[in-house]
Amino acid sequence: MTLSAVKQSTSNHAANGSSSRLSRFSVPLVAGVICLPLLVVIAAFFIGIVSPEQREVLQHLWQTVIGEYVRHSLILLVGVGVLVLVIGVATAWLTTACRFPGVSWLRWALLLPFAMPAYITAYTYAGMLGFEGSLQTWLRVTFDLSYGDYWFPEVRSIGGAVAMLSLVFFPYVYLITRAAFIEQSSAAMEAGRTLGLGPWASFWRIALPMARPAIATGVTLALMETLADYGTVHYFGVTTFTTGIFRTWYGMGDPIGALQLASILMTFVVVLMVIERSSRAKSRFHSAGRSATRTTPHQLKGGKAWLAFAVCFLPVLFGFLLPALQLAWWSIDRYDIWLQPSFWNLVSNTVILASIAAVVTVLLALWLCYGKRRMPVPLVRSSVGLATLGYAIPGVVIAVGVMVPLAWLDNRLIGLSQWALGYNPGLIFSGTIFALIFAYAVRFLSVSIQTVDSGLTQIRPSMDESARILGLKPKEILARIHFPLLRTSVLTATILVFVDVLKELPATLVLRPFNFNTLAVRAHEMASDERLADAGPPALMIVLAGLIPVILLSRAMGRRKADEQAAHAVEPKPEEIYEPVKA
């Protein structure tokens, strides 16, 4: 028997075996369960249009609050979009195309605001810049002023919310845009200079248009996070869809109205996704590959060098260093909190919850990604793609979408138990840890899938074929071949989901069981009660945990740069190529 015949028979046998053990519909079924909360929210929108009763609720919301929610959301989107665009693109270009003092550590320091959740940044600046804060107190004491004798910008306003969100979300634009600038070949820039374009003209007319798809992606991610934010806008008193969903659900006791608000907010997110996709649909730029030389950084001197340093250092200062120092000061001032058993109870709850959510989410990602690798049919591929939509949906929308079907299921189970056994088992799914884990899996599955899938794509299919020839079953191939090669990707995905769960606030607020708190919830409760110093220790713990993905990102960028330098080091120089011809 020829080798091709062996391969053909082996592949047919493996396909038949895999179809019996790993059903073709198992991956779409799991993806459908993951998408269930989103389907519930979408259904609420259409029910509100069709049903006369729910149409009245929707009309009442439009007449009273939705106009204000839309106006505030648009202000936030425009303000944050402009600021993250300016800060992210400027810092990405300066750290890529220029050399100046401190640029080497600024390249990774500009990622540090990733570790600071937006609501924690808002708490720290409210404590520093508010009327009772340290800055205004110092002004009144130093210059003998009283209330009303001076003007000071109000941080708890929609303008303050725009500033806080921009300081935290600009790294999305910086990271993606800098990667695009690094990939650009110097040939295009040199061609522009031969046509008489200076460095800045080349940036505006060549580099910036080529990086437009990356910039659009970064800005869109920042705007999605802006729509998803709850802690910042709630603390600053800015009414948006996220605060309205909480108010409608808990204040008015109207879950259908909350679902309809969630559907409108989800529409905003979908529109952003469509705009982002269409903006780069026809913007495709290709570099010459690894052999293309990168743009040589331009050496800045004198005032220009220090100006570039200031432009890159100020976002780090205001986005991470000042809030971190304020949290450290509060934590030292409230050192007794660190000694309380209740605080470490919070830490234990948070770590256990985040660990379970991370493990469950990564296992689901492994199942979906491996199923797509084993059965790359359109149904499986599209279902896995739909399962990744949760990351683009705000946590409060997912929480509302999770609560409704689980509450319905609990009511059916209670009724069945009382009818059959005369016993009320209470809430089994809703109001328990199960609901939280489910919401976290829906929200952060995309992070795990992207990380695991990128690791799987680096494993050659020929290894799978060789394992099948040796008689290994699909589960054995995954356990004995793929998983050892995926250890780094799985560990990275687990850490990323773990940290995201630590920082997640709105979904935890909606779905947490009674008498169950996490660090994020405690920090939010303390800040809402104007006990900002007491919010310092839990907030600092979250920030310290948030440094983990920043370290991973910086190390990944460092490895990528080292790989590129090694690749360029072995490339022959032009004179080496043409030397034999000259001889």
Side-chain angles (χ1 to χ4, degrees):
M1 182 180 291
T2 62
L3 180 61
S4 60
V6 171
K7 287 186 176 181
Q8 181 66 30
S9 62
T10 305
S11 62
N12 292 337
H13 175 72
N16 294 333
S18 64
S19 63
S20 61
R21 294 175 177 83
L22 185 63
S23 173
R24 177 170 298 187
F25 297 101
S26 62
V27 172
L29 180 62
V30 173
V33 174
I34 296 296
C35 294
L36 180 61
L38 308 183
L39 297 176
V40 170
V41 174
I42 295 173
F45 179 78
F46 289 102
I47 291 174
I49 296 176
V50 176
S51 172
E53 299 172 351
Q54 300 307 323
R55 193 186 306 130
E56 293 180 1
V57 175
L58 191 59
Q59 289 176 352
H60 173 72
L61 292 174
W62 274 106
Q63 295 170 357
T64 53
V65 295
I66 290 182
E68 182 179 336
Y69 296 162
V70 171
R71 183 172 66 255
H72 289 172
S73 297
L74 290 177
I75 293 174
L76 287 174
L77 290 177
V78 173
V80 173
V82 171
L83 285 180
V84 299
L85 175 67
V86 173
I87 299 173
V89 174
T91 54
W93 175 253
L94 289 174
T95 55
T96 304
C98 302
R99 291 179 180 173
F100 53 89
V103 66
S104 58
W105 70 269
L106 281 171
R107 287 170 182 161
W108 62 264
L110 283 163
L111 297 174
L112 289 176
F114 262 140
M116 192 73 62
Y119 57 89
I120 292 179
T121 302
Y123 302 158
T124 56
Y125 275 100
M128 290 187 290
L129 303 180
F131 177 78
E132 69 287 352
S134 54
L135 182 57
Q136 290 202 52
T137 301
W138 176 82
L139 288 175
R140 291 193 298 270
V141 172
T142 303
F143 299 100
D144 194 21
L145 299 174
S146 302
Y147 178 76
D149 294 341
Y150 64 98
W151 177 86
F152 198 86
E154 179 58 53
V155 65
R156 299 190 189 188
S157 61
I158 192 168
V162 168
M164 299 300 105
L165 297 174
S166 302
L167 287 173
V168 174
F169 297 148
F170 83 86
Y172 284 107
V173 182
Y174 163 76
L175 183 64
I176 299 176
T177 305
R178 185 168 183 270
F181 285 149
I182 290 174
E183 292 298 325
Q184 290 179 3
S185 171
S186 62
M189 302 296 291
E190 293 297 334
R193 292 179 182 178
T194 58
L195 295 175
L197 297 179
W200 291 107
S202 299
F203 165 72
W204 284 107
R205 301 182 62 178
I206 299 177
L208 194 61
M210 290 177 65
R212 192 180 68 181
I215 295 172
T217 302
V219 173
T220 303
L221 288 174
L223 295 183
M224 288 181 180
E225 292 291 342
T226 299
L227 288 175
D229 178 76
Y230 171 76
T232 303
V233 293
H234 174 264
Y235 186 67
F236 281 3
V238 180
T239 53
T240 61
F241 281 99
T242 53
T243 60
I245 291 170
F246 273 89
R247 184 185 304 173
T248 305
W249 184 286
Y250 289 104
M252 300 174 59
D254 185 4
I256 301 300
L259 270 174
Q260 291 175 348
L261 287 177
S263 66
I264 299 174
L265 178 56
M266 188 172 170
T267 304
F268 267 82
V269 175
V270 172
V271 169
L272 281 177
M273 294 174 64
V274 171
I275 292 175
E276 188 270 334
R277 296 282 176 87
S278 61
S279 67
R280 59 187 176 95
K282 298 181 180 180
S283 302
R284 302 183 185 276
F285 304 98
H286 303 279
S287 64
R290 302 196 76 168
S291 61
T293 58
R294 308 302 180 194
T295 305
T296 303
H298 179 65
Q299 181 67 51
L300 299 179
K301 299 180 180 179
K304 292 182 178 180
W306 291 108
L307 179 61
F309 175 81
V311 170
C312 295
F313 178 70
L314 288 178
V316 179
L317 176 65
F318 292 110
F320 179 80
L321 293 179
L322 287 181
L325 290 173
Q326 180 65 72
L327 290 177
W329 176 258
W330 284 340
S331 299
I332 295 173
D333 186 54
R334 294 292 193 273
Y335 71 92
D336 56 305
I337 294 178
W338 297 88
L339 305 177
Q340 297 175 1
S342 60
F343 176 76
W344 294 106
N345 231 1
L346 285 176
V347 176
S348 175
N349 289 345
T350 306
V351 170
I352 293 174
L353 182 64
S355 301
I356 296 174
V359 171
V360 170
T361 305
V362 172
L363 288 177
L364 286 173
L366 276 171
W367 177 269
L368 294 176
C369 292
Y370 188 62
K372 185 178 70 170
R373 181 184 178 92
R374 295 282 300 158
M375 299 173 293
V377 297
L379 176 63
V380 174
R381 296 178 65 90
S382 60
S383 61
V384 174
L386 290 175
T388 63
L389 292 178
Y391 194 71
I393 307 302
V396 64
V397 174
I398 294 176
V400 174
V402 165
M403 179 64 76
V404 172
L406 292 185
W408 178 88
L409 180 60
D410 275 341
N411 289 330
R412 302 287 83 76
L413 291 176
I414 290 173
L416 180 62
S417 177
Q418 288 179 337
W419 174 78
L421 305 174
Y423 169 71
N424 185 349
L427 299 178
I428 300 175
F429 297 105
S430 61
T432 63
I433 296 295
F434 177 86
L436 268 177
I437 300 299
F438 184 31
Y440 293 148
V442 176
R443 179 83 165 90
F444 303 119
L445 185 62
S446 175
V447 178
S448 297
I449 286 180
Q450 290 179 4
T451 308
V452 173
D453 196 41
S454 65
L456 275 175
T457 54
Q458 297 176 14
I459 302 176
R460 296 179 179 180
S462 59
M463 299 183 68
D464 298 38
E465 297 175 0
S466 301
R468 292 170 195 158
I469 291 175
L470 294 174
L472 294 182
K473 300 177 181 179
K475 292 181 180 179
E476 294 174 335
I477 296 175
L478 177 62
R480 298 175 60 181
I481 297 178
H482 289 166
F483 191 77
L485 297 174
L486 287 173
R487 263 185 269 184
T488 302
S489 298
V490 170
L491 179 61
T492 302
T494 305
I495 292 175
L496 292 176
V497 175
F498 179 87
V499 175
D500 280 335
V501 172
L502 288 183
K503 298 189 292 185
E504 176 62 30
L505 178 62
T508 311
L509 280 173
V510 174
L511 298 173
R512 64 192 172 106
F514 293 110
N515 298 323
F516 184 89
N517 268 359
T518 63
L519 291 172
V521 173
R522 176 55 59 87
H524 172 73
E525 290 175 345
M526 294 297 101
S528 299
D529 293 340
E530 298 301 330
R531 298 166 59 183
L532 292 175
D534 291 335
L540 185 61
M541 289 288 290
I542 296 173
V543 172
L544 293 177
L547 287 174
I548 297 175
V550 173
I551 295 172
L552 291 175
L553 280 173
S554 62
R555 289 183 62 184
M557 292 174 65
R559 285 196 301 268
R560 182 178 181 180
K561 183 178 179 181
D563 292 342
E564 289 179 351
Q565 290 176 348
H568 296 157
V570 299
E571 292 172 0
K573 298 179 181 179
E575 57 268 22
E576 296 175 347
I577 297 175
Y578 294 106
E579 187 64 30
V581 179
K582 293 179 182 178

